[in-house]
Amino acid sequence: MFADLNSPFQQLQHPHLTCLWIKREDLIDPYISGNKWRKLKYILQDAAAKGKEHLVTFGGAYSNHLVATAAAAARSGRKATAFVRGEKVMNEMLVLCQLYGMELIFTDREAYRDKPACYEKHFGGHPSAYFIDEGGASAEAVKGCAEIITELPADIDHLFCAAGTGTTAAGLLKGIRESGLKTKLHVIPVLKGGDFIRKEIGRYVPLTDQLVLHTDYHFGGYAKTRPELLQFIRQFIARHGILIDPVYTAKMFFAIDDLAEKNHFSAGEKIAAIHTGGLLGIMGMKEKFAL
Ligand SMILES: *Cc1c(COP(=O)(O)O)cnc(C)c1O
């Protein structure tokens, strides 16, 4: 199911930037979306090599990673269980998880914090269980995300991605280094205090000055928005015909716009953005978009 793919790479008409491109990872699959597909590719390969048939993972109630894992498990004939942070709730994303046959275990925040203990308590000694960290964070995920670079042209000056755990950014930086590119990687943490991302990336790949962190585009924190971001999303989608999500990709595209306006780029430089998908995230804020 993880056959080779080459998601489209398209130019975007932009009011300030003559050369803005977008890597459409959102088109890989509607449910195993974007970077989650890249991450799961080698995670599932590792599980298969170890003969593991039951994926066990972790996420919040609006986690793109949970839907992706549920879909990937169902399509590869595996079982899946998710520890879901917080009290029992139901929403569009969790309904999809259940339809894909994923078992949901709602876990209070205290217990959720210690994921290995959670796993051990329920699945310790279970011969076919396979632990997948929150968001899929792992060396396998980094390896999968590094492959995105092999599908991009070598002459990109500035490459942008949104970051939650920083795993995708680590993979992109790894790919850039392995291909010997001069590309700068601009990372937009979607959480407040995003400086921690540097350390996360450093766990997987040596840091260089090719990594540029922009920590001021979190809009109040994870899954937080402001009216100007919502307005930006409406305009972007109507203008380009490309959906973006309020949790990740909108913050990245907003940052690109803002940096362009502040003359951060030189004339003629080639700028590209990874559309990491995550469009179900719109559902988590649907009331905010209803006019
Ligand atoms: C999960 C997700 C991210 C964050 O990826 P990390 O590897 O955790 O930094 C970015 N964009 C979208 C759309 C996501 O779903």
Side-chain angles (χ1 to χ4, degrees):
M1 67 178 269
F2 288 94
D4 273 357
L5 55 89
N6 220 326
S7 68
F9 189 57
Q10 303 170 341
Q11 194 161 10
L12 212 66
Q13 296 307 321
H14 189 277
H16 311 294
L17 298 166
T18 48
C19 209
L20 177 61
W21 292 76
I22 167 167
K23 176 72 169 160
R24 298 293 306 276
E25 297 282 287
D26 56 313
L27 298 180
I28 290 176
D29 188 282
Y31 304 109
I32 311 179
S33 182
N35 62 344
K36 302 305 185 284
W37 191 100
R38 300 284 182 178
K39 289 177 172 193
L40 285 168
K41 178 179 178 182
Y42 290 106
I43 289 174
L44 263 72
Q45 208 175 79
D46 187 52
K50 291 173 177 158
K52 306 289 189 180
E53 293 298 325
H54 187 164
L55 310 179
V56 180
T57 193
F58 298 80
Y62 277 97
S63 163
N64 294 316
H65 165 70
L66 291 191
V67 179
T69 305
R75 292 187 209 171
S76 64
R78 290 187 171 84
K79 277 170 64 170
T81 298
F83 290 93
V84 185
R85 186 181 58 236
E87 281 161 30
K88 186 173 189 315
V89 288
M90 229 348 106
N91 63 39
E92 296 87 344
M93 319 270 286
L94 294 176
V95 166
L96 284 172
C97 289
Q98 287 189 324
L99 283 171
Y100 278 121
M102 181 180 247
E103 172 195 25
L104 304 179
I105 303 176
F106 293 93
T107 309
D108 67 69
R109 280 156 201 275
E110 184 67 30
Y112 184 89
R113 216 162 284 151
D114 192 348
K115 295 174 188 68
C118 235
Y119 176 84
E120 206 46 47
K121 186 173 156 207
H122 289 78
F123 293 97
H126 198 300
S128 116
Y130 185 84
F131 174 91
I132 304 174
D133 208 344
E134 186 171 42
S138 60
E140 286 79 16
V142 170
K143 183 179 172 191
C145 292
E147 289 184 349
I148 298 173
I149 296 296
T150 65
E151 297 176 15
L152 291 173
D155 64 348
I156 295 168
D157 296 294
H158 304 279
L159 181 65
F160 281 79
C161 77
T165 64
T167 314
T168 304
L172 293 171
L173 190 63
K174 186 167 184 276
I176 286 170
R177 287 176 54 94
E178 284 172 353
S179 299
L181 303 178
K182 294 199 177 69
T183 308
K184 282 213 152 95
L185 179 68
H186 297 262
V187 178
I188 316 296
V190 302
L191 299 87
K192 211 189 267 182
D195 270 318
F196 78 92
I197 294 281
R198 199 180 294 279
K199 193 165 136 243
E200 287 304 306
I201 296 174
R203 287 172 51 190
Y204 298 106
V205 55
L207 298 174
T208 68
D209 58 6
Q210 276 172 288
L211 173 68
V212 187
L213 219 54
H214 302 275
T215 55
D216 293 335
Y217 296 104
H218 55 73
F219 288 87
Y222 184 76
K224 299 273 170 38
T225 62
R226 289 204 197 112
E228 63 177 324
L229 186 66
L230 297 171
Q231 184 56 19
F232 174 83
I233 293 170
R234 284 199 183 89
Q235 273 180 1
F236 186 99
I237 295 175
R239 178 180 292 159
H240 301 296
I242 296 171
L243 290 170
I244 55 176
D245 82 291
V247 180
Y248 294 102
T249 51
K251 292 180 182 180
M252 171 190 67
F253 281 111
F254 187 99
I256 295 173
D257 253 34
D258 192 55
L259 292 167
E261 222 165 281
K262 291 173 177 157
N263 295 315
H264 195 82
F265 312 110
S266 308
E269 281 189 322
K270 189 165 184 170
I271 297 147
I274 309 288
H275 191 320
T276 38
L279 297 172
L280 293 169
I282 293 172
M283 295 306 159
M285 294 193 197
K286 57 184 187 297
E287 297 83 10
K288 292 200 166 84
F289 290 109
L291 294 169

